[in-house]
Amino acid sequence: MFAHTRCSPLPASGVVAGGLFQPSLVERSNTHSPISLGKAPEEIRTLVITMATKGVNAAHIAAALFISRLEIEAIAREEGLPLKRTPLRNGPRAWSLLDISRLSRAWAEGEDLPAIAKRLDRTVMAVRKKRAALGLPARERYAEVVWTDADVATLLAHRERRIGLQRIAKQMGRSVRSLQRKLVSLRPGADSCAIPADPSVVLTWEQASRLTPEERRGRRWQVRNSPTGLIIGFSRNACTTRWSVEMQHELAMRHFAHQSPDAVAEDFLLTDRTIVSQSGWLHLPRRSKKDMRNTFDPDLYEVYLKKMDYVRRECLGKAGFYFWTTRRNGRRISRLHQQTAVMRSGD
């Protein structure tokens, strides 16, 4: 129990941060607590209960909510909740209490994840996972964003130049989701009745492009300008697709035809990160940016394939998986199988 800590002399004031007390942080948290500022005690109590139920360490709860452990102990006793009091990890990349406080303050003040990650010298994924593990309240995903006429003109100009949404979002300081929603609202004749509600119906590219990624869950659609009439789709529970052999083969065709990843992503209605990642697993060769094209010409596929002397080969270690390699002295085992074998051997 926390009461047993009386035998250990501690300073009367301060916030524990990596084993040290920072009085300046306490003064700042008392005067400008980003979590509790403007919130009723009932809301703070709810957060404590939520975090304790998730198994968050009591020290982390105190650092994240800027309240004392005595208050946390009292709430836990009243609710009959067990508190996690295990010793904190001590390592070069372990989350200190000061890191928790900075994450909580920056998240409450509305900073985006890349800025918080840069401030804490961590990856965006690490910050995202830690925020979820702490149980900090999630932000409103679809907050209203004011779009001026200049913003709309800039967005449309970039799209006419076939610039990817991620690049546009970075330049305009907005999220990719915000750009997608704006483009959907700007499409003419976007009548919902024109899109079949039956999820078994295959949508055309024009119909699918009028939907957000979340709205395309559980739906299938045609790939734009596909010479084979390729049809892809998302799973019901997530905006992910399972890459079939036909999808991988058409991606390779477009790659050897020097179509840019942004243009391929636009035709597939996937993210350019997904296209680049899958191209890496297929061992597709690197290309010069000056040779990339926005359009797909199937006739160029055979030309550049022969020029690069690449062949499609089945992986010796993973039956049914095909990748691309040079005809002479090429690989026989894919990188995907090698990494899987390494992961298995490490257990």
Side-chain angles (χ1 to χ4, degrees), residues 312-347:
R312 186 167 173 261
R313 183 171 293 161
E314 185 176 10
C315 176
L316 294 180
K318 186 176 177 62
F321 180 78
Y322 293 85
F323 65 100
W324 296 83
T325 182
T326 54
R327 187 182 302 274
R328 295 182 180 181
N329 301 324
R331 301 173 64 109
R332 301 289 176 174
I333 299 179
S334 67
R335 188 182 303 110
L336 177 63
H337 174 70
Q338 284 183 335
Q339 291 197 7
T340 304
V342 169
M343 292 174 64
R344 288 176 178 174
S345 62
D347 294 337

Side-chain angles (χ1 to χ4, degrees), residues 26 43 51 54 56 60 89 101 106 121 140 142 159 164 183 188 191 210 213 219 225 229 274 290 295 304 322 341 344:
V26 173
E43 297 180 81
M51 298 172 77
K54 290 173 66 70
V56 181
H60 286 174
R89 293 177 54 190
S101 299
D121 191 22
E140 183 66 27
Y142 298 128
R159 293 304 289 167
L183 289 173
D191 190 2
R210 288 158 50 184
R219 305 300 299 264
N225 301 329
T274 302
K290 64 180 181 180
T295 58
Y304 284 105
Y322 293 85
R344 288 176 178 174

Side-chain angles (χ1 to χ4, degrees), residues 288-312:
S288 175
K289 289 186 178 181
K290 64 180 181 180
D291 296 332
M292 291 188 184
R293 307 158 54 93
N294 290 328
T295 58
F296 172 45
D297 187 355
D299 296 333
L300 296 179
Y301 159 65
E302 294 289 345
V303 175
Y304 284 105
L305 183 62
K306 293 180 180 179
K307 182 178 179 180
M308 297 180 181
D309 197 23
Y310 263 68
V311 294
R312 186 167 173 261

Side-chain angles (χ1 to χ4, degrees), residues 255-283:
H255 186 92
F256 284 109
H258 283 204
Q259 188 178 16
S260 66
D262 293 344
V264 176
E266 183 72 16
D267 289 344
F268 276 63
L269 293 180
L270 301 175
T271 63
D272 54 350
R273 183 178 299 179
T274 302
I275 299 300
V276 173
S277 175
Q278 189 64 210
S279 301
W281 289 122
L282 296 178
H283 294 252

Side-chain angles (χ1 to χ4, degrees), residues 187 195 203-211 222 224 269:
R187 292 186 183 276
I195 300 178
L203 304 178
T204 63
W205 183 91
E206 289 74 14
Q207 291 173 333
S209 64
R210 288 158 50 184
L211 301 177
Q222 301 173 354
R224 183 170 61 177
L269 293 180

Side-chain angles (χ1 to χ4, degrees), residues 152-177:
V152 175
T154 302
L155 174 60
L156 295 179
H158 285 325
R159 293 304 289 167
E160 289 180 359
R161 295 167 53 193
R162 303 296 294 273
I163 299 178
L165 288 179
Q166 291 186 352
R167 288 182 55 190
I168 300 176
K170 185 176 181 180
Q171 293 178 5
M172 300 185 64
R174 298 177 182 269
S175 65
V176 175
R177 194 183 306 275

Side-chain angles (χ1 to χ4, degrees), residues 147-157 172 182 186:
W147 283 83
T148 63
D149 294 339
D151 293 337
V152 175
T154 302
L155 174 60
L156 295 179
M172 300 185 64
K182 190 61 181 178
L186 292 175

